[in-house]
Amino acid sequence: MRKFKVTFLPDGKDIEVEENTTLMQAAGKAGVYVNTICGGKGVCGKCRVQVINGKAKPDKHAIALLTKEEIDDSFVLACQTKVQDNLEVVIPPESRLEAEQILLTDSFVSEAASVESAHFDPLVQKIYMELQEPSNEDNIADSDRIIRELKRRTEHITYERTLGCLKGLNSKLRNSSWKVTATIARQNNGWKILEVEAGDTNDNNYGLAIDIGTTTVVAQLLHLKSGKVIGGEGTHNLQAQYGEDVISRIAFACGKEQGLQELHKSIVKNINDLIKSLTNKHSVDPEDITAIVAAGNTTMIHLLLGLIPCSIRLGPYVPTTHSFPQIKAGEIDIDIHPEGILESISDVASYVGGDIVSGILACGLADKPEIKALIDIGTNGEIALGNNDWIVCCSASAGPAFEGGGVSSGMRATQGAIQKIEIKDGRVQYWTIQKSKPRGICGSGIIDCIYELVKNGIIDQQGHFNMSTKNERIIEKDGDPQFIVAFPDETESGENITFKESDISNLIRSKGAVFAAIKSLTDYVGIAFNKIDTFFVAGGFGNYLNIFKSISIGLLPDIDQKKIQFVGNSSLIGARMALLSKTKFEYTAEIANMMTNIELSTYIPYMDEYMASLFLPHTDKKLFPSVDYWQS
Amino acid sequence: MRKFKVTFLPDGKDIEVEENTTLMQAAGKAGVYVNTICGGKGVCGKCRVQVINGKAKPDKHAIALLTKEEIDDSFVLACQTKVQDNLEVVIPPESRLEAEQILLTDSFVSEAASVESAHFDPLVQKIYMELQEPSNEDNIADSDRIIRELKRRTEHITYERTLGCLKGLNSKLRNSSWKVTATIARQNNGWKILEVEAGDTNDNNYGLAIDIGTTTVVAQLLHLKSGKVIGGEGTHNLQAQYGEDVISRIAFACGKEQGLQELHKSIVKNINDLIKSLTNKHSVDPEDITAIVAAGNTTMIHLLLGLIPCSIRLGPYVPTTHSFPQIKAGEIDIDIHPEGILESISDVASYVGGDIVSGILACGLADKPEIKALIDIGTNGEIALGNNDWIVCCSASAGPAFEGGGVSSGMRATQGAIQKIEIKDGRVQYWTIQKSKPRGICGSGIIDCIYELVKNGIIDQQGHFNMSTKNERIIEKDGDPQFIVAFPDETESGENITFKESDISNLIRSKGAVFAAIKSLTDYVGIAFNKIDTFFVAGGFGNYLNIFKSISIGLLPDIDQKKIQFVGNSSLIGARMALLSKTKFEYTAEIANMMTNIELSTYIPYMDEYMASLFLPHTDKKLFPSVDYWQS
């Protein structure tokens, strides 16, 4: 098979690939992240790239999606273009995903989210000990000597020997004058000894908390002795090249030989890349990482462990398992300590995953009698409601609009995203992440924009443009009215950043799905919104979320704003808490067990609630008394 | 490096080896077993072979040990001769070890040794189930559905998922119309699901009970569904090429780089060979073997698991561990089901191993209030004494005399071994195993021979020949008087089989060590011999052991013969019971825990007892009232 070299600019990274590899795949192999929303189906147009050297023909999708000028300038879609020549390809700013710019929104520290010293009991611990040499009077076996000392030093009752801890033990003890460090790991019903090392190595013990999102994968490196966060890093889920959302990933895993294997390997590569980068940056030996806790939705964890996810998308939505075995990370080729463990947070249902359970842990939702709610707005919107006695939950197909998907100028909360917008007297003011030139609009900006448009009368409550309004920012293109948020001279790409009527229509469906789910859940348990003590909102909106505007567009219920708290990546926070505390980790299984999932697709009242929510803010005026633009 | 071909006759097996490989190593690689007692040090002369083609020089050991005629006939020592030419080598009958001829002495069935149906609960079980397809009303996860059914069908409370059982589960269930077989294995604190297979495979479930002796390795293949013994097979421990006894094996493991690894690989090869042979013979798929229980002395199990045994031979005699973790057999490259488990029976002390614990299980020694004793006479003599309340035990360095080692014509209880001898009116009558021409004398024959020699006045009670006796069978060679048991025309080798004064001297020390140990143990707990309800004797004597003669030479105490029971390989029987019963397996750990080891090397009264025992039968007449040759 012929091979060609592809060079990606501006990074200057090149890669040799086989003929007919797509540019998207080539970019993935070169470690260059290209945007995609549709998962490589050629329908979103987000992966527009410019071929400046070598031959590459625009396919039918490109012809449909790109302008004539763009095609004349050799723009193609990376996901549809097959490499048949040596190429030099420019990835324009708006098509670029920059791994290092995924924000770790981890400012949220609730009472629950900090692991108190009483519960500090990491899943893997290293214990240094100076042992008495055996004598005729005290001639117990070497491993018994270690276990005796462990029992003296810890409150743990049982210790199981592993082959790993017994191998070479004889020499390690005697060559180190009986001064050794035992690495112990929590397991079901006790602890096991993973390894014994000569000398004092108890400081060299690290763990990884990982949130595996459908879109992004975020990891934190923790020092397990002190519990301190050493560093954090995020990256785009490499599986995106096979499909943007959970459903298309499952379709890929189940529709193609080796599909599951490819997705599995992608996420393993993601994690290994994060490990490599974090350990490099912080001068940590990857073999000193002894434990990983992963939180993710049901499909993501199935793919991580190489489990067939096919039934998850078919009624009655049955996954292989809700609780996952502890495995050696090495079993799935994750490069940490050879005996290092990987735990995955239990899930509740096919569409209520361990990320939500982890989030509930982080928010303390299940800790006290006060009723609290958690809403995680990602590709799906998952909602949990309850207290220490009961929890109900559900998942709404919100779509990725609030993560920037399905919105023409939408983007994730990375550098250059407009995260805050105000419109006053016709003047538009916006704020971007890292104060860069704007590249698009992220979730929080999108919410602001809708609010400002309706508040300023630019659109009506159904999301239609008032074309009678005189405003240089309102234009119409291909029959789709749109609002110019940023003009070409302001933007990184030199093109308009606009907000289209079709975008607004998508967003109204999204926010409607989320609100209807919240409403269905509170109605199901017979609780008024104002009986909810705290309303936690998680998701990749960015660092900033305007609660008032979120209420005003009908995304969140109209309750006392002080009760609404934006918590960022609560799944990551929960995973970290579980890593640092055996009690908290075991608590996640209890939380998952006590949660009742309401399957909205078969829950009749939901559809009515959804229909009633397709309005800004809602068709039922009484539900949103504090909204200030309310007309009629 | 140059390579040469070595052909071994009469088998006709050939092998290509690197220059300077020893003939002993070459034979091992070719699967031909050559006798050795000294473990390849060139001092026992048991590995005498004849080179009939190609050049091979006798080394200094051969010159010292072999006759001039033998050297002229190109005899060499296999352990000392390095291959430096293409060779054809004849292994004479007395130097041959024939693997297929190791006897499985398994006629002993005590009340305890049969696993009653109440305790039939194999360590790994296969359970066939026909499940209901999921519905909206019953949409639990696939693995939960299997666990729910397992809980309905078994009394087991907890089931842990393994990655192995979850992988591919989705397809297996759906492609088999929800008719599957779960393989479950006992683990600490519950059970785990090793695998789920499509369809009904519950009949294809086998286990292996193995006794790993220093000299021989014996395995039984069991059908785990029915508990039936499918077949048994024994082989010589391949480690013998590195040393005959435990001490020389430890010396090899600890004295040489890769020594431990070579010993470990040898025993793994032994087990894999036995598996291959048993599964071939009985048309069983090796992957249908799901469980192994191994019993062996402390050193053998350390070597099996690859654990450093070095401290076992150094005071205070501390091994790495007394209780061994369950491992995947595949972890140490044993070729059974990839998820198949291997359990090793717990030991008590460096010289009281799991083979004794297993034997105690088989004899029911720990079951009832009656006091019983078990004496296992192998390379060491291990003795246990006790009841359901207490057990004391010890190990005496008996040497391998009763296994045929250290005795010039001694051999193991295999084909051609003289196992029974009578001398009447100067006439010698003997019986060989499988009625073959005699090749040597095994343990039971040795006991008979000593008894008959002293009874007939041929030797005195110190083991010295009465040279005044006129008997054509008494000759003297190199100052060592000897008794001809079989003349050249009767034997397979065409040479005398004799019993030398130096052999008798070794045997008196051996039997003295064993008896002194028994006496020390009963004195330690303050119990007279006649308070012992049953006295179980285990060991590789052959199928036949004359209890009266064993008492009469002072090996066993002089008690009512009906109380003495020969039990053959009680270690194997116990391993089989543990394999077939979770309760019995867990009981072995309890037995090991309740046993108190008396370290004879530091127990002062033992040496006096030993000195008093160096007489036939004993210096204390009162201890052996029923001995008929007693002179004063």
Side-chain angles (χ1 to χ4, degrees):
Chain A
M1 189 161 280
R2 293 167 71 193
K3 294 200 169 190
F4 297 104
K5 185 173 135 185
V6 184
T7 307
F8 291 97
L9 300 171
D11 308 78
K13 291 187 181 170
D14 51 38
I15 185 90
E16 200 180 68
V17 294
E18 291 186 348
E19 186 172 10
N20 290 330
T21 304
T22 68
L23 275 177
M24 180 73 94
Q25 290 166 331
K29 285 183 182 172
V32 175
Y33 298 96
V34 177
N35 209 345
T36 169
I37 297 289
C38 69
K41 297 204 188 77
V43 297
C44 75
K46 294 271 173 186
C47 63
R48 212 178 58 128
V49 297
Q50 189 178 18
V51 177
I52 59 168
N53 247 315
K55 272 178 246 164
K57 272 194 184 167
D59 74 306
K60 60 177 181 186
H61 295 280
I63 291 165
L65 286 165
L66 305 179
T67 62
K68 192 180 171 305
E69 293 74 29
E70 287 173 327
I71 287 174
D72 290 345
D73 281 349
S74 301
F75 276 91
V76 294
L77 298 182
C79 70
Q80 298 298 314
T81 306
K82 292 177 176 172
V83 177
Q84 294 174 328
D85 194 3
N86 292 322
L87 300 177
E88 258 181 77
V89 178
V90 176
I91 303 177
E94 71 280 4
S95 298
R96 224 180 297 150
L97 283 178
E98 282 162 48
E100 67 279 13
Q101 288 160 0
I102 291 182
L103 295 180
L104 305 171
T105 52
D106 192 14
S107 50
F108 166 66
V109 180
S110 80
E111 194 187 327
S114 60
V115 173
E116 316 92 281
S117 60
H119 288 144
F120 183 73
D121 194 12
L123 299 191
V124 174
Q125 302 174 17
K126 284 194 175 186
I127 295 169
Y128 172 66
M129 47 182 81
E130 303 188 352
L131 298 165
Q132 285 295 314
E133 205 170 329
S135 62
N136 285 332
E137 293 67 44
D138 177 23
N139 63 351
I140 60 172
D142 288 350
S143 58
D144 291 333
R145 190 169 300 272
I146 286 173
I147 290 174
R148 184 174 66 186
E149 183 65 17
L150 284 172
K151 286 186 179 175
R152 264 186 207 151
R153 299 270 295 276
T154 69
E155 284 169 17
H156 310 146
I157 296 161
T158 65
Y159 283 100
E160 206 175 280
R161 296 156 180 86
T162 66
L163 196 54
C165 88
L166 297 177
K167 278 204 170 168
L169 181 58
N170 183 289
S171 309
K172 287 175 191 167
L173 285 166
R174 286 160 184 83
N175 296 344
S176 68
S177 310
W178 301 87
K179 296 181 174 68
V180 292
T181 304
T183 306
I184 59 171
R186 179 216 160 266
Q187 63 176 1
N188 282 349
N189 299 304
W191 291 74
K192 62 183 169 188
I193 311 173
L194 293 184
E195 191 190 22
V196 175
E197 293 170 287
D200 185 356
T201 64
N202 90 97
D203 203 48
N204 308 335
N205 191 21
Y206 296 88
L208 212 62
I210 309 184
D211 168 52
I212 304 179
T214 310
T215 308
T216 57
V217 183
V218 183
Q220 272 188 343
L221 182 66
L222 282 292
H223 185 231
L224 293 184
K225 185 183 175 187
S226 62
K228 280 189 189 145
V229 177
I230 301 298
E233 196 148 316
T235 185
H236 297 280
N237 191 322
L238 283 168
Q239 294 172 345
Q241 60 185 296
Y242 305 110
E244 182 71 358
D245 56 21
V246 158
I247 295 297
S248 55
R249 305 267 171 92
I250 296 176
F252 184 83
C254 305
K256 193 188 148 182
E257 182 121 18
Q258 295 299 315
L260 170 58
Q261 206 48 28
E262 284 182 43
L263 292 170
H264 169 67
K265 283 187 178 161
S266 293
I267 182 61
V268 168
K269 181 170 182 340
N270 268 138
I271 293 173
N272 280 335
D273 287 349
L274 287 170
I275 290 170
K276 207 179 290 175
S277 168
L278 279 167
T279 52
N280 265 342
K281 194 178 289 174
H282 301 285
S283 303
V284 166
D285 181 346
E287 295 227 343
D288 285 337
I289 299 179
T290 56
I292 296 178
V293 172
N297 66 49
T298 307
T299 302
M300 287 305 113
I301 301 297
H302 272 61
L303 296 177
L304 173 66
L305 298 180
L307 308 180
I308 301 173
C310 308
S311 311
I312 291 176
R313 66 165 181 157
L314 304 168
Y317 314 110
V318 173
T320 293
T321 188
H322 295 307
S323 71
F324 302 95
Q326 181 191 88
I327 64 167
K328 275 189 199 181
E331 276 184 78
I332 55 169
D333 299 322
I334 291 180
D335 303 329
I336 60 168
H337 187 290
E339 302 285 329
I341 62 166
L342 183 150
E343 296 274 16
S344 309
I345 302 286
S346 296
D347 64 50
V348 178
S350 281
Y351 294 102
V352 179
D355 47 354
I356 302 307
V357 174
S358 188
I360 288 175
L361 174 69
C363 299
L365 190 146
D367 299 354
K368 295 186 176 170
E370 290 81 26
I371 296 170
K372 294 173 182 169
L374 168 65
I375 163 164
D376 190 345
I377 303 175
T379 309
N380 276 348
E382 293 107 344
I383 298 129
L385 174 70
N387 61 10
N388 60 350
D389 201 28
W390 55 269
I391 302 176
V392 292
C393 60
C394 67
S395 169
S397 308
F402 292 105
E403 286 193 314
V407 174
S408 56
S409 293
M411 69 177 285
R412 290 164 201 135
T414 63
Q415 193 192 8
I418 295 174
Q419 60 175 340
K420 182 175 172 182
I421 299 175
E422 282 178 12
I423 304 178
K424 228 176 228 170
D425 309 327
R427 278 175 47 226
V428 173
Q429 198 174 0
Y430 56 77
W431 290 260
T432 63
I433 293 179
Q434 295 177 1
K435 297 183 181 163
S436 306
K437 276 198 159 187
R439 296 168 59 205
I441 314 174
C442 70
S444 56
I446 285 169
I447 289 168
D448 282 13
C449 192
I450 298 179
Y451 170 78
E452 296 291 342
L453 290 179
V454 64
K455 162 92 178 161
N456 285 278
I458 297 165
I459 58 171
D460 65 17
Q461 287 178 264
Q462 290 178 291
H464 298 313
F465 275 87
N466 294 325
M467 296 305 288
S468 58
T469 315
K470 284 220 169 143
N471 192 323
E472 54 160 357
R473 289 181 181 261
I474 301 175
I475 56 170
E476 191 170 329
K477 210 172 169 184
D478 305 328
D480 194 4
Q482 47 199 275
F483 182 82
I484 299 170
V485 178
F487 289 108
D489 58 341
E490 307 164 28
T491 66
E492 185 169 327
S493 66
E495 291 175 23
N496 278 332
I497 291 176
T498 68
F499 213 64
K500 297 179 182 169
E501 193 169 292
S502 54
D503 296 333
I504 295 166
S505 166
N506 274 342
L507 283 158
I508 289 177
R509 280 197 295 275
S510 270
K511 73 96 194 167
V514 171
F515 182 81
I518 300 171
K519 185 72 169 42
S520 297
L521 218 51
T522 50
D523 286 355
Y524 180 83
V525 294
I527 281 179
F529 289 143
N530 62 16
K531 296 289 178 199
I532 298 174
D533 186 66
T534 316
F535 206 98
F536 298 99
V537 182
F541 297 102
N543 274 328
Y544 162 96
L545 180 74
N546 188 309
I547 302 293
F548 169 70
K549 293 180 183 174
S550 301
I551 294 172
S552 294
I553 68 163
L555 172 65
L556 300 179
D558 191 359
I559 58 173
D560 181 354
Q561 286 178 49
K562 277 178 285 185
K563 289 182 169 182
I564 300 181
Q565 197 176 347
F566 176 59
V567 293
N569 192 338
S570 58
S571 164
L572 181 68
I573 297 167
R576 188 179 68 213
M577 290 166 67
L579 175 64
L580 294 181
S581 168
K582 173 181 179 286
T583 315
K584 299 286 185 193
F585 174 71
E586 289 168 358
Y587 185 35
T588 60
E590 285 172 44
I591 292 173
N593 264 331
M594 73 183 280
M595 288 169 74
T596 305
N597 178 47
I598 313 298
E599 183 54 56
L600 291 185
S601 63
T602 56
Y603 184 67
I604 313 282
Y606 174 70
M607 194 42 77
D608 293 339
E609 291 294 346
Y610 175 64
M611 296 308 293
S613 302
L614 297 179
F615 200 73
L616 292 170
H618 196 277
T619 53
D620 183 357
K621 190 174 169 178
K622 291 192 297 294
L623 282 173
F624 288 87
S626 65
V627 168
D628 57 355
Y629 61 78
W630 194 256
Q631 304 158 0
S632 89
Chain B
M1 188 162 283
R2 292 167 70 194
K3 294 202 170 190
F4 298 104
K5 185 173 134 184
V6 184
T7 307
F8 292 97
L9 299 171
D11 308 78
K13 290 186 181 170
D14 52 37
I15 184 90
E16 199 180 67
V17 295
E18 289 185 351
E19 186 173 9
N20 290 330
T21 304
T22 68
L23 275 178
M24 180 73 95
Q25 291 167 329
K29 284 185 183 171
V32 175
Y33 298 96
V34 177
N35 209 345
T36 171
I37 296 290
C38 69
K41 298 202 188 80
V43 296
C44 74
K46 295 270 173 187
C47 64
R48 211 179 57 129
V49 297
Q50 188 178 20
V51 178
I52 59 168
N53 248 313
K55 271 178 248 165
K57 272 193 184 170
D59 75 307
K60 61 178 181 183
H61 295 281
I63 292 164
L65 286 165
L66 305 180
T67 64
K68 191 180 172 305
E69 293 75 29
E70 287 175 326
I71 288 175
D72 290 346
D73 281 349
S74 301
F75 276 89
V76 295
L77 298 182
C79 71
Q80 297 298 315
T81 306
K82 291 176 176 172
V83 177
Q84 293 175 328
D85 193 2
N86 292 321
L87 301 176
E88 256 181 79
V89 178
V90 175
I91 303 175
E94 70 280 5
S95 298
R96 225 180 295 150
L97 285 178
E98 283 162 46
E100 69 279 12
Q101 289 160 1
I102 290 180
L103 295 179
L104 306 170
T105 52
D106 191 13
S107 49
F108 168 65
V109 180
S110 79
E111 195 187 327
S114 59
V115 172
E116 316 91 280
S117 59
H119 289 142
F120 184 73
D121 195 11
L123 299 190
V124 174
Q125 302 174 16
K126 284 194 175 185
I127 295 169
Y128 172 65
M129 48 181 80
E130 303 189 352
L131 298 164
Q132 286 293 317
E133 205 170 328
S135 62
N136 284 334
E137 293 68 42
D138 175 25
N139 63 351
I140 60 172
D142 288 349
S143 58
D144 291 334
R145 189 168 302 272
I146 286 174
I147 289 174
R148 183 173 67 184
E149 183 66 16
L150 283 172
K151 287 187 177 171
R152 264 187 207 152
R153 301 272 293 277
T154 68
E155 284 169 16
H156 311 144
I157 296 160
T158 65
Y159 283 100
E160 205 175 280
R161 295 157 182 86
T162 67
L163 198 53
C165 89
L166 297 176
K167 277 205 170 167
L169 182 58
N170 183 288
S171 309
K172 287 176 193 168
L173 285 166
R174 286 162 184 82
N175 296 344
S176 68
S177 311
W178 300 87
K179 297 180 173 67
V180 292
T181 304
T183 304
I184 58 171
R186 179 214 160 268
Q187 64 176 1
N188 283 349
N189 301 306
W191 292 75
K192 62 183 169 189
I193 310 172
L194 293 185
E195 192 190 22
V196 175
E197 292 170 287
D200 185 356
T201 65
N202 90 96
D203 203 48
N204 308 335
N205 191 21
Y206 296 88
L208 213 61
I210 310 185
D211 168 52
I212 304 180
T214 310
T215 308
T216 56
V217 184
V218 184
Q220 273 188 343
L221 182 65
L222 282 292
H223 185 230
L224 293 184
K225 185 183 175 186
S226 63
K228 280 189 188 146
V229 176
I230 302 298
E233 197 149 316
T235 187
H236 298 280
N237 191 322
L238 283 167
Q239 295 172 343
Q241 61 185 297
Y242 305 110
E244 180 72 357
D245 57 20
V246 158
I247 296 296
S248 55
R249 304 267 171 90
I250 296 175
F252 184 85
C254 305
K256 193 189 147 182
E257 182 121 18
Q258 294 299 314
L260 170 58
Q261 205 48 29
E262 284 183 43
L263 292 170
H264 169 66
K265 282 189 179 162
S266 293
I267 182 60
V268 168
K269 181 171 181 344
N270 268 140
I271 294 173
N272 281 335
D273 287 349
L274 287 170
I275 290 169
K276 208 179 290 176
S277 168
L278 279 167
T279 52
N280 265 341
K281 194 180 288 176
H282 301 286
S283 304
V284 165
D285 181 346
E287 294 227 342
D288 285 337
I289 299 178
T290 56
I292 296 178
V293 172
N297 65 51
T298 307
T299 303
M300 287 306 114
I301 301 298
H302 272 62
L303 297 177
L304 172 67
L305 299 180
L307 307 180
I308 300 173
C310 308
S311 310
I312 291 176
R313 67 165 182 158
L314 305 168
Y317 313 110
V318 173
T320 295
T321 188
H322 295 306
S323 71
F324 302 94
Q326 182 191 88
I327 64 167
K328 276 191 199 181
E331 276 184 80
I332 56 168
D333 298 323
I334 291 180
D335 302 327
I336 60 169
H337 188 289
E339 301 285 330
I341 62 166
L342 184 149
E343 296 274 16
S344 308
I345 302 286
S346 295
D347 64 51
V348 179
S350 281
Y351 294 102
V352 180
D355 45 355
I356 304 306
V357 174
S358 189
I360 288 175
L361 174 69
C363 299
L365 191 146
D367 299 354
K368 295 187 176 170
E370 291 81 25
I371 296 169
K372 294 172 184 170
L374 168 65
I375 162 165
D376 190 345
I377 305 177
T379 310
N380 276 347
E382 292 108 344
I383 297 128
L385 173 71
N387 62 9
N388 60 350
D389 202 28
W390 55 268
I391 301 176
V392 291
C393 60
C394 68
S395 169
S397 308
F402 293 106
E403 286 193 317
V407 174
S408 55
S409 292
M411 69 177 284
R412 288 161 200 136
T414 62
Q415 194 192 9
I418 295 174
Q419 59 175 340
K420 182 175 173 184
I421 299 176
E422 282 178 12
I423 304 179
K424 228 175 226 173
D425 309 325
R427 278 174 47 224
V428 172
Q429 200 175 357
Y430 56 76
W431 289 260
T432 63
I433 293 179
Q434 295 178 1
K435 299 183 180 166
S436 307
K437 276 196 160 190
R439 295 168 60 202
I441 314 175
C442 71
S444 55
I446 286 169
I447 289 168
D448 282 12
C449 191
I450 299 179
Y451 170 78
E452 296 292 341
L453 291 178
V454 65
K455 162 91 178 165
N456 285 276
I458 297 164
I459 59 171
D460 64 16
Q461 285 177 265
Q462 290 178 293
H464 298 313
F465 274 84
N466 294 325
M467 295 306 288
S468 57
T469 316
K470 286 217 167 145
N471 192 322
E472 54 158 358
R473 287 182 181 264
I474 302 176
I475 57 171
E476 192 171 328
K477 211 172 168 183
D478 305 327
D480 194 3
Q482 46 197 276
F483 182 81
I484 299 170
V485 177
F487 289 108
D489 58 341
E490 304 165 31
T491 66
E492 185 170 327
S493 67
E495 290 174 24
N496 279 332
I497 291 176
T498 68
F499 212 64
K500 298 178 181 168
E501 194 169 291
S502 55
D503 296 333
I504 295 166
S505 166
N506 274 341
L507 282 158
I508 289 177
R509 281 198 296 275
S510 269
K511 73 96 195 166
V514 171
F515 183 81
I518 300 172
K519 186 72 170 41
S520 298
L521 218 53
T522 51
D523 286 356
Y524 180 85
V525 293
I527 280 179
F529 288 143
N530 63 16
K531 296 289 179 200
I532 298 174
D533 186 65
T534 316
F535 205 97
F536 298 99
V537 182
F541 297 103
N543 273 329
Y544 163 97
L545 180 75
N546 189 309
I547 302 293
F548 170 70
K549 294 179 183 175
S550 303
I551 293 171
S552 296
I553 68 164
L555 172 66
L556 300 180
D558 191 359
I559 58 170
D560 181 355
Q561 287 177 47
K562 277 178 287 187
K563 288 184 168 181
I564 300 181
Q565 198 176 345
F566 176 58
V567 295
N569 193 337
S570 58
S571 164
L572 180 67
I573 297 168
R576 188 179 66 214
M577 289 166 67
L579 174 64
L580 295 181
S581 168
K582 173 180 179 286
T583 315
K584 299 285 183 191
F585 174 72
E586 289 168 358
Y587 185 36
T588 60
E590 285 173 43
I591 292 173
N593 264 332
M594 72 182 281
M595 287 169 75
T596 305
N597 178 47
I598 313 299
E599 184 56 55
L600 292 185
S601 63
T602 57
Y603 184 68
I604 313 282
Y606 175 71
M607 196 39 79
D608 294 337
E609 290 293 345
Y610 174 64
M611 296 309 291
S613 302
L614 297 178
F615 199 73
L616 291 169
H618 197 275
T619 53
D620 184 356
K621 191 173 167 177
K622 293 192 297 293
L623 282 173
F624 288 87
S626 64
V627 168
D628 56 357
Y629 63 80
W630 192 257
Q631 302 154 4
S632 71

